[in-house]
Amino acid sequence: FPSEQYLYIKKRMLPMVLQLLTLCFLLSKLANGLVMVQGNTNQQNLNTIPKSYRALVAQSVGESFSQVAIVKDVPTPDVGSDEALIRVTYAGVNGGCETFRARGEHAFVGNTQVTDFALGAEGVGVVVAVGSDVTNVEVGDAVCFVGSAFAEYSKCKSSTLWNIPEALPEYVGLRISGLTACAMLEETGKLKKGEKVLITAAAGGAGHFAVQFAKLAGCEVCGTCGSDAKAEVLKRLGCDKVINYKTQDVNAELQRFAPDGLHVVLEGVGGKMLQIALQNLEPKGRLLQVGYISEYPHNPEAAAESSKNEVNASELFWKSQTIQRGQQTIYGNAWPKDYNTVLTKKDRVLGLFAEGKLQSIVDETAEFEGLDSVSDAIKHMLSGNTIGKVIVKL
């Protein structure tokens, strides 16, 4: 039988040995670049996350996204009490937004004064850490988010996250493009059943959602695009009339579609297309500006396009101007001024998608994977050849 001394040693020493082995294991993990996020006043989960991760950053502003964007290892940030850390699976591409962010212009002028600023906007991923006050998401949840998506991880305020069933690429388009189309048309535009509506760049990221929201409102919808493939997609989405601006006379076709004028236009092209839309607006019509891509810096003919319309599209957008043109109303950057009304559209967008009443098209004309592909994805989005939302898999 074991002696009393043996039993004493077994009882007292064995737990100490086990604790020592556990400590050695943790130290080995730290040596391999992993840290344990322990529950405290700022963070609350036991997931292991890397001490650093790869992200696209710009060391300074420049002429274009591709000129300034570099992949860099950045330290994993601490998670505040109201924040969550997300492992990014898919990131959305917004060519204009990223161009102006990289150039430090308009809303991004502050980037001229900083270095190593983050790049990217919306994405989807999985929550890996949450702050002590976070109650709306848990570790392991799939979410849509907005914030520096061109990275392996992104830290966001938990209140801005959208809970989704799975981190699929189709959800990326819903977060900004789908929400934008819904809020602009339903809140700013106040669509009414039977109205005649024009959507320019209708096969694009925001445009293909706009077509669907206009049809859901009971409107008669015309969409412009630049290829037969895009035209087929728009017909499947319910467009009553499709105009290929490369092969058809847009002005003449609009006069056939709406001889008494268009009630509402969602316009994202700028230049000549913006002027044609204004010319075909009915006397009390509403034009909602969502962008002006033909006048962005990537286009060598941008200045010529800008000279083809009667308004300053850039100033209209970035100053969110509302202009009266007789009894017509032009809404620059037509987001509702009361952001609380935008928040009410989240459940509508997600609900319609869940019910199969709203399609989220992911562009398949080219595929992009990894941070090194993002610059090419930006160029592709700006090329005008895309159908739906351009996505990068991370």
Side-chain angles (χ1 to χ4, degrees):
F1 294 97
S3 66
E4 291 184 7
Q5 184 178 12
Y6 170 79
L7 292 173
Y8 174 82
I9 292 173
K10 181 179 179 181
K11 181 178 179 181
R12 298 292 185 183
M13 298 299 293
L14 185 58
M16 295 176 61
V17 171
L18 291 174
Q19 289 179 357
L20 182 61
L21 289 172
T22 300
L23 178 61
C24 290
F25 173 77
L26 292 174
L27 289 173
S28 71
K29 288 294 185 183
L30 285 169
N32 287 323
L34 295 175
V35 297
M36 213 45 126
V37 182
Q38 301 290 349
N40 54 39
T41 57
N42 292 322
Q43 299 169 324
Q44 53 178 31
N45 77 83
L46 297 176
N47 274 28
T48 55
I49 58 175
K51 292 178 65 176
S52 64
Y53 60 89
R54 298 170 74 244
L56 269 183
V57 300
Q59 292 181 309
S60 63
V61 298
E63 290 299 310
S64 66
F65 184 93
S66 60
Q67 183 187 81
V68 304
I70 61 170
V71 178
K72 187 174 182 178
D73 282 332
V74 298
T76 302
D78 291 331
V79 177
S81 62
D82 61 346
E83 296 175 328
L85 185 67
I86 299 143
R87 185 177 70 248
V88 184
T89 54
Y90 295 95
V93 172
N94 299 286
C97 179
E98 293 307 324
T99 295
F100 295 119
R101 192 195 313 275
R103 292 167 65 92
E105 295 175 342
H106 304 301
F108 308 102
V109 68
N111 288 345
T112 61
Q113 306 299 316
V114 297
T115 59
D116 289 346
F117 55 87
L119 300 169
E122 82 271 43
V124 299
V126 177
V127 175
V128 297
V130 296
S132 57
D133 295 337
V134 173
T135 58
N136 61 312
V137 295
E138 298 178 351
V139 171
D141 284 355
V143 293
C144 292
F145 69 91
V146 177
S148 307
F150 296 151
E152 293 174 338
Y153 290 84
S154 181
K155 185 177 74 168
C156 301
K157 294 289 187 183
S158 67
S159 60
T160 67
L161 302 177
W162 288 15
N163 296 81
I164 55 177
E166 192 174 353
L168 298 175
E170 288 77 11
Y171 284 100
V172 177
L174 299 178
R175 184 61 182 87
I176 289 182
S177 300
L179 183 67
T180 296
C182 182
M184 287 188 177
L185 287 174
E186 295 185 354
E187 292 298 323
T188 307
K190 303 294 185 186
L191 291 182
K192 301 179 184 69
K193 185 176 180 179
E195 289 189 315
K196 293 198 172 185
V197 177
L198 170 66
I199 311 295
T200 65
H208 84 281
F209 287 115
V211 168
Q212 297 175 81
F213 281 112
K215 290 302 296 180
L216 286 168
C219 298
E220 192 173 347
V221 181
C222 175
T224 67
C225 64
S227 73
D228 291 340
K230 293 183 180 185
E232 287 302 314
V233 170
L234 293 178
K235 290 174 185 176
R236 290 200 301 270
L237 291 176
C239 259
D240 299 285
K241 183 178 180 64
V242 178
I243 302 173
N244 185 334
Y245 69 88
K246 291 184 178 180
T247 61
Q248 295 176 279
D249 184 325
V250 178
N251 188 64
E253 293 299 324
L254 285 177
Q255 289 177 4
R256 292 190 185 96
F257 172 70
D260 296 324
L262 298 159
H263 297 96
V264 177
V265 177
L266 185 75
E267 212 295 295
V269 177
K272 181 180 179 180
M273 186 66 77
L274 171 58
Q275 189 60 34
I276 292 173
L278 287 171
Q279 290 169 356
N280 285 276
L281 203 59
E282 66 111 26
K284 295 183 180 181
R286 296 95 75 195
L287 186 140
L288 317 171
Q289 185 197 37
V290 68
Y292 55 107
I293 193 169
S294 71
E295 302 181 44
Y296 292 170
H298 74 285
N299 182 9
E301 303 298 323
E305 281 296 315
S306 295
S307 68
K308 294 176 182 177
N309 61 63
E310 64 191 71
V311 299
N312 184 325
S314 175
E315 189 172 274
L316 179 70
F317 184 86
W318 293 105
K319 292 185 177 181
S320 296
Q321 295 174 331
T322 299
I323 298 174
Q324 293 301 134
R325 185 178 183 259
Q327 291 183 290
Q328 299 169 341
T329 307
I330 304 173
Y331 297 94
N333 188 6
W335 274 86
K337 296 296 188 285
D338 181 1
Y339 190 70
N340 287 326
T341 64
V342 178
L343 298 179
T344 65
K345 297 301 178 182
K346 179 189 89 169
D347 291 340
R348 175 159 171 76
V349 170
L350 289 175
L352 288 170
F353 180 72
E355 294 168 10
K357 297 178 180 177
L358 182 69
Q359 294 183 49
S360 177
I361 299 176
V362 174
D363 178 63
E364 296 180 345
T365 61
E367 294 184 0
F368 303 94
E369 184 170 354
L371 293 174
D372 293 325
S373 74
V374 172
S375 289
D376 288 337
I378 298 284
K379 292 177 183 176
H380 176 63
M381 185 270 161
L382 292 169
S383 72
N385 297 321
T386 63
I387 299 176
K389 185 71 178 181
V390 179
I391 305 294
V392 178
K393 182 180 180 180
L394 297 175

